[in-house]
Amino acid sequence: MTWYIDEGPDSDVIISSRVRLARNLEGTPFPHRLDQQRSKKIALEITNAFFADDAARRSQFLTLDLNELSQEDQMSLVEKRLISEDLVHKDNWHRAIISRDESISIMINEEDHIRIQSMRAGQNLENAYEAAAETASVFEERLPIAYSDEFGFLTACPTNTGTGMRSSVMAHLPGLTIAGAMRPVAESLSKMGFVVRGMYGEHSKSQGDLYQISNQLTLGISETDLISDLKRMLQQLIEQERNNRVTLYDQQPDMIENKVMRAYGILRFARLMTTEEALSLLSDVRFGQSIGLLKTVSRRDLNQIQSAIGPASIQKAHGRLMTPEERDRERAKIIRDLLK
Amino acid sequence: MTWYIDEGPDSDVIISSRVRLARNLEGTPFPHRLDQQRSKKIALEITNAFFADDAARRSQFLTLDLNELSQEDQMSLVEKRLISEDLVHKDNWHRAIISRDESISIMINEEDHIRIQSMRAGQNLENAYEAAAETASVFEERLPIAYSDEFGFLTACPTNTGTGMRSSVMAHLPGLTIAGAMRPVAESLSKMGFVVRGMYGEHSKSQGDLYQISNQLTLGISETDLISDLKRMLQQLIEQERNNRVTLYDQQPDMIENKVMRAYGILRFARLMTTEEALSLLSDVRFGQSIGLLKTVSRRDLNQIQSAIGPASIQKAHGRLMTPEERDRERAKIIRDLLK
């Protein structure tokens, strides 16, 4: 079972939590300054250190050399946010190590030598951080990690230096979005040191009322403080979103029911559907489900649908590249079958 | 059971057939030149002639004095096309006599003294004409009807003189409409002496791909020839429409299925719906039903829905005037209940 089908704490608003840690090898140039041969040597060194004498870990993780994967498999990893799009396009020797439940992924020779990412369902930043830190400690015990007493962990990009950590959540904010409150909320979060982005990171537009929220800082503050800050802010945001949902429904029950039930009707019967429309309709249904309008649909159903309808997931399931229209047809079918 | 729930011949394309006959009393000015007192005297004379010594007819027909009806009842009669909107707004003494199955309606003191209208489901112009003629013969036997050997029946407007007849059908033409062929078809019908209009007569726009088609002429040609001409043209139009539907589905099965099933999904789940949207979605569903895509929906179901969702029908069912939003909510509910 992959982690993202699960529900987690506060999962009516927070879909998932993610913590990323960057680590680099001491005395070795950062990946962008490594040639093919040297990057390969380092990648193997990191991989070997991770698996050394550990049969359990070997069976728990998959090592993927991206240039050996089909295009649809590469794209599927990006779509699931297990690897970055940057990693796919790197020229030097790079790979990913991914846990079978897809909750932990390690990118080797992306921007940093080692990038560990840990994901959890719902608002579960602490667990996500623990798992990431535990994975990082394997490397820290077995490899010379670049660390400065003054700055902390050293990274290729100075904005990551310090903890080398970035923690973020994927929040579903239809209440704030429908009420037209997202812009002021994003601005005020930004002043508080948080960043609000669309679903696929920087510069991406929000789809399906989904927003990635992370802290800006990495330097001069401890990991636990960073996570506490983010959690504290999220508690407020979650309350605000819940209040908005209830208020919207109280004030315009017909409008909201109409929006939710139409979305459900279209998802249940359409024969062609783009990713963008699907995300938007799923957002309406998820909203409706959270305020009790759709008793026959569970949050797990919605998570399952959401994880299956990206262009790459669909192509991976078919084992081949497909035209957009073929994907739209297949997407509509997947949704119909899962909503039955 | 009202006639319009039934299916009739060729009812995949022709929803209903209508024949109207105009008759006037000899030696009496046309209605627009009658004062209140005189128009009342004539209306009573016509009514008495119709019902004289005929208990069966008395129980089969209702006599409605429009100024005694509530606004929602008046509007409902107009919406069902049992009376014209003009009749509601006449100043002189006017009334309607309507058969209980709503297949025959007689307007007294509309443009002419007597206007008989007969409606049938499907392409059934001959039956509709027979029923209208039979009703007209009652008046012709018992009242002095204005008739000239040279011109035929005399009418208030010269365009009706001769047979005093107008025959028309309501055609559902989604195949021609989606294929973008309606404009050339309407133009060529016009050259052949037929008129193509929207659902509610002259100057009205087509809603739900529904078109009223009638002949232009009334003078210098017999009733049976007029009906034969219209029927002959309709046979071609019906074939053309059916071919267009099949071709569209053959060429773009996904697009058509998607259109039809989405419409069905929205109709089944929406909580608010305007008449215009409902007619448009019902058109898609009717189209889908006719090519075998929706086996659970019958043409009778669709007729029943279509007859129940006009603003006036909804208000009449509730016995009061309602706001547009109240009607939109009730319309969506009626459709959901009937599609269950």
Side-chain angles (χ1 to χ4, degrees):
Chain A
M1 170 67 96
T2 45
W3 67 272
Y4 43 79
I5 307 300
D6 265 332
E7 295 184 50
D10 296 326
S11 65
D12 56 329
V13 179
I14 308 297
I15 307 287
S16 61
S17 302
R18 177 159 68 150
V19 170
R20 194 208 65 201
L21 295 173
R23 298 291 183 263
N24 286 279
L25 301 188
E26 203 175 37
T28 307
F30 291 122
H32 67 278
R33 289 178 53 210
L34 294 175
D35 62 17
Q36 187 68 11
Q37 201 187 346
R38 195 131 183 234
S39 59
K40 178 170 183 177
K41 185 175 161 289
I42 283 164
L44 294 176
E45 196 179 323
I46 293 171
T47 312
N48 290 339
F50 188 61
F51 286 120
D53 304 322
D54 197 332
R57 188 169 293 135
R58 246 178 240 282
S59 70
Q60 199 196 334
F61 284 84
L62 290 171
T63 304
L64 302 173
D65 283 318
L66 293 172
N67 42 18
E68 290 174 7
L69 296 185
S70 69
Q71 203 186 331
E72 58 271 22
D73 282 350
Q74 291 176 7
M75 284 159 58
S76 162
L77 295 172
V78 173
E79 196 171 89
K80 289 175 176 177
R81 300 185 297 141
L82 288 165
I83 62 171
S84 66
E85 200 160 353
D86 278 355
L87 188 68
V88 177
H89 300 122
K90 288 275 177 238
D91 283 333
N92 60 6
W93 222 83
H94 55 272
R95 58 169 33 164
I97 301 173
I98 297 175
S99 70
R100 291 191 182 272
D101 69 355
E102 301 185 359
S103 71
I104 299 268
S105 66
I106 303 160
M107 290 189 284
I108 300 177
N109 286 336
E110 204 245 24
E111 192 177 286
D112 296 297
H113 294 135
I114 304 170
R115 280 200 165 185
I116 299 153
Q117 184 185 257
S118 160
M119 299 208 266
R120 286 288 183 278
Q123 195 291 80
N124 213 339
L125 286 162
E126 270 150 355
N127 273 353
Y129 171 66
E130 275 168 33
E134 198 185 301
T135 308
S137 72
V138 175
F139 296 110
E140 288 159 16
E141 285 162 17
R142 301 178 183 184
L143 291 168
I145 297 297
Y147 184 84
S148 129
D149 286 334
E150 193 181 347
F151 298 118
F153 292 103
L154 302 178
T155 53
C157 177
T159 60
N160 292 316
T161 296
T163 57
M165 181 171 91
R166 196 168 291 276
S167 45
S168 68
V169 297
M170 183 71 76
H172 183 227
L173 305 175
L176 290 163
T177 308
I178 296 172
M182 263 321 288
R183 184 187 285 262
V185 164
E187 279 166 8
S188 106
L189 290 181
S190 162
K191 280 180 199 145
M192 294 160 68
F194 301 102
V195 186
V196 181
R197 299 182 177 117
M199 195 174 163
Y200 286 102
E202 230 148 351
H203 312 304
S204 75
K205 231 190 84 191
S206 160
Q207 288 193 319
D209 307 327
L210 292 168
Y211 300 87
Q212 213 189 102
I213 305 174
S214 57
N215 10 30
Q216 189 80 272
L217 285 175
T218 56
L219 187 66
I221 176 168
S222 75
E223 286 86 345
T224 24
D225 284 351
L226 278 169
I227 285 180
S228 305
D229 281 0
L230 185 52
K231 273 183 60 182
R232 213 173 7 252
M233 178 280 287
L234 287 176
Q235 272 320 318
Q236 283 181 34
L237 185 71
I238 290 166
E239 282 316 302
Q240 215 178 336
E241 169 62 22
R242 284 179 186 152
N243 289 340
N244 264 277
R245 291 184 192 177
V246 172
T247 306
L248 277 170
Y249 186 50
D250 278 354
Q251 289 176 346
Q252 296 170 279
D254 288 331
M255 186 275 269
I256 296 294
E257 262 190 69
N258 188 46
K259 192 173 167 66
V260 168
M261 298 309 291
R262 274 172 185 254
Y264 179 69
I266 296 172
L267 289 169
R268 278 231 1 220
F269 289 99
R271 260 47 182 179
L272 294 173
M273 191 168 289
T274 63
T275 313
E276 195 174 350
E277 186 188 13
L279 287 173
S280 160
L281 296 173
L282 283 168
S283 172
D284 293 343
V285 167
R286 200 181 273 277
F287 173 22
Q289 196 274 341
S290 80
I291 55 172
L293 289 179
L294 268 168
K295 310 245 187 253
T296 53
V297 180
S298 74
R299 210 166 287 154
R300 290 174 68 96
D301 294 337
L302 297 174
N303 291 346
Q304 196 143 19
I305 293 172
Q306 205 130 343
S307 75
I309 59 166
S313 301
I314 290 175
Q315 293 179 112
K316 184 171 156 56
H318 274 64
R320 65 177 177 89
L321 295 177
M322 297 159 84
T323 66
E325 176 156 346
E326 284 178 315
R327 294 200 301 262
D328 288 353
R329 191 194 308 136
E330 188 56 28
R331 182 176 299 111
K333 186 173 180 328
I334 290 168
I335 296 171
R336 284 203 308 282
D337 289 347
L338 287 171
L339 278 183
K340 242 179 221 155
Chain B
M1 171 67 94
T2 44
W3 67 272
Y4 42 79
I5 307 300
D6 265 333
E7 296 184 49
D10 296 326
S11 66
D12 55 330
V13 179
I14 307 297
I15 307 287
S16 61
S17 302
R18 177 158 70 149
V19 169
R20 194 207 66 200
L21 295 174
R23 298 289 183 266
N24 287 279
L25 301 188
E26 202 173 38
T28 308
F30 290 122
H32 66 276
R33 291 177 51 210
L34 294 176
D35 62 15
Q36 188 67 10
Q37 199 186 348
R38 195 129 186 240
S39 60
K40 178 171 182 176
K41 185 174 161 291
I42 284 163
L44 294 177
E45 197 179 321
I46 293 170
T47 312
N48 290 338
F50 188 62
F51 287 119
D53 305 322
D54 198 333
R57 187 169 293 134
R58 243 177 242 282
S59 69
Q60 198 195 336
F61 284 84
L62 290 172
T63 304
L64 302 173
D65 282 318
L66 293 173
N67 41 17
E68 292 175 5
L69 296 184
S70 68
Q71 204 187 331
E72 58 271 23
D73 282 350
Q74 290 176 8
M75 284 158 58
S76 161
L77 294 173
V78 174
E79 197 171 270
K80 290 175 176 176
R81 301 185 297 141
L82 288 166
I83 63 170
S84 65
E85 198 159 354
D86 278 354
L87 188 68
V88 178
H89 300 122
K90 289 275 179 237
D91 283 332
N92 60 7
W93 222 85
H94 55 271
R95 59 170 31 164
I97 302 173
I98 296 175
S99 69
R100 291 193 183 270
D101 69 356
E102 301 184 358
S103 70
I104 298 267
S105 67
I106 303 161
M107 290 189 284
I108 300 177
N109 286 336
E110 205 245 25
E111 192 178 286
D112 296 296
H113 294 134
I114 304 169
R115 280 200 166 185
I116 299 154
Q117 184 186 258
S118 161
M119 298 207 267
R120 286 287 183 278
Q123 196 291 79
N124 211 339
L125 286 163
E126 271 151 353
N127 274 352
Y129 172 65
E130 274 168 32
E134 198 186 301
T135 308
S137 72
V138 176
F139 295 111
E140 289 158 18
E141 286 162 17
R142 300 176 184 187
L143 290 168
I145 297 296
Y147 184 84
S148 129
D149 286 334
E150 193 183 348
F151 299 118
F153 292 103
L154 302 179
T155 53
C157 176
T159 59
N160 292 316
T161 296
T163 58
M165 180 171 93
R166 194 169 292 278
S167 44
S168 67
V169 298
M170 183 71 77
H172 183 228
L173 305 175
L176 290 163
T177 307
I178 296 171
M182 263 322 287
R183 182 186 287 261
V185 164
E187 279 166 7
S188 106
L189 289 182
S190 162
K191 281 180 199 145
M192 293 160 68
F194 301 101
V195 187
V196 182
R197 298 177 176 121
M199 195 174 162
Y200 285 103
E202 230 149 351
H203 312 305
S204 75
K205 230 191 85 192
S206 161
Q207 288 193 318
D209 307 327
L210 292 168
Y211 299 87
Q212 212 189 102
I213 305 174
S214 56
N215 12 28
Q216 190 78 271
L217 286 176
T218 56
L219 188 65
I221 175 168
S222 75
E223 286 87 344
T224 26
D225 283 351
L226 278 169
I227 284 181
S228 306
D229 281 2
L230 186 52
K231 274 183 60 181
R232 208 168 16 246
M233 177 279 287
L234 286 176
Q235 273 319 318
Q236 283 181 35
L237 186 71
I238 290 166
E239 281 315 301
Q240 215 178 334
E241 169 61 22
R242 283 180 186 151
N243 289 340
N244 263 278
R245 291 185 192 177
V246 172
T247 307
L248 277 169
Y249 186 50
D250 279 354
Q251 288 176 347
Q252 296 169 279
D254 287 332
M255 187 276 269
I256 296 294
E257 262 190 69
N258 187 46
K259 191 173 169 67
V260 169
M261 298 309 291
R262 275 173 183 253
Y264 178 69
I266 296 171
L267 288 169
R268 279 234 356 224
F269 288 99
R271 261 48 182 179
L272 294 173
M273 191 167 289
T274 62
T275 313
E276 194 174 350
E277 186 188 13
L279 287 174
S280 161
L281 296 174
L282 282 168
S283 172
D284 293 342
V285 167
R286 201 181 271 278
F287 173 22
Q289 196 274 343
S290 80
I291 54 172
L293 289 179
L294 267 168
K295 311 245 187 253
T296 54
V297 180
S298 73
R299 210 166 285 155
R300 289 174 69 96
D301 294 336
L302 297 174
N303 290 346
Q304 197 143 16
I305 293 172
Q306 204 130 344
S307 74
I309 58 166
S313 302
I314 290 174
Q315 294 180 108
K316 183 171 156 58
H318 273 65
R320 65 177 176 88
L321 296 178
M322 298 160 84
T323 65
E325 176 154 348
E326 285 178 313
R327 295 201 300 262
D328 288 353
R329 190 193 308 134
E330 188 55 29
R331 183 175 298 111
K333 186 173 179 330
I334 290 169
I335 295 171
R336 284 203 308 283
D337 290 346
L338 286 171
L339 278 184
K340 241 179 222 158

